[in-house]
């Protein structure tokens, strides 16, 4: 079984170094851990969360909650589709600036 490694990120030329606001949007996002898997772990995700909103993501074990959240700071990259923070694609940011601007609160540590 081949697992998708966490991507080795390279900052884009002239990366964005500041997240202007906390709006988060997923546009037609698919994700799978295994590159050669026929099935996606997440499929056709479309969400828009306004800055300042509090959102709870609930579901059974293995339903993709953590995978979804890990796409925001680019701990993983979407297989297809786009993830936006502050109205900009997460791939446009300096990775350190992006990750310093994102926080997650997990139910169990």
């Amino acid at each position: 079984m081949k697992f998708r490694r966490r991507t080795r990120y390279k900052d884009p030329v002239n990366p964005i170094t500041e997240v202007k606001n906390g709006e988060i949007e997923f546009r037609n996002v698919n994700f799978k851990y295994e590159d050669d898997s026929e099935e996606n772990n997440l499929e056709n995700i479309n969400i828009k969360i306004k800055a300042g909103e509090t959102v709870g993501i609930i579901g059974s074990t293995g339903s993709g909650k953590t995978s979804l959240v890990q796409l925001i700071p680019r701990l993983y990259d979407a297989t297809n589709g786009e993830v936006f923070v502050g109205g900009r694609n997460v791939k446009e940011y300096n990775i350190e600036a992006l990750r310093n601007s994102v926080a997650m609160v997990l139910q169990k540590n």
Side-chain angles (χ1 to χ4, degrees):
M1 203 157 77
K2 296 179 185 176
F3 287 96
R4 176 181 294 267
R5 282 192 239 145
R6 293 180 187 233
T7 308
R8 290 191 177 121
Y9 302 101
K10 294 180 182 175
D11 283 333
V13 176
N14 301 316
I16 300 167
T17 58
E18 182 182 352
V19 176
K20 297 288 183 184
N21 69 61
E23 183 176 278
I24 297 169
E25 184 175 2
F26 287 74
R27 291 186 194 163
N28 303 311
V29 170
N30 294 328
F31 174 73
K32 56 185 171 182
Y33 284 101
E34 300 175 45
D35 289 328
D36 58 355
S37 176
E38 292 182 19
E39 293 185 35
N40 291 312
N41 297 87
L42 298 171
E43 192 166 76
N44 200 30
I45 304 297
N46 290 286
I47 302 171
K48 190 168 190 176
I49 303 167
K50 295 177 184 174
E53 279 187 311
T54 300
V55 175
I57 301 171
I58 59 173
S60 60
T61 301
S63 64
K65 303 175 301 289
T66 302
S67 299
L68 177 76
V69 172
Q70 288 179 337
L71 297 173
I72 299 167
R74 291 190 72 196
L75 296 177
Y76 291 102
D77 274 331
T79 305
N80 299 105
E82 296 176 292
V83 179
F84 294 84
V85 172
R88 303 297 296 259
N89 190 307
V90 292
K91 293 179 180 180
E92 296 178 45
Y93 284 101
N94 165 275
I95 194 72
E96 186 175 354
L98 176 65
R99 289 182 180 171
N100 286 338
S101 298
V102 174
M104 296 175 271
V105 178
L106 304 176
Q107 182 177 359
K108 296 179 183 177
N109 288 326

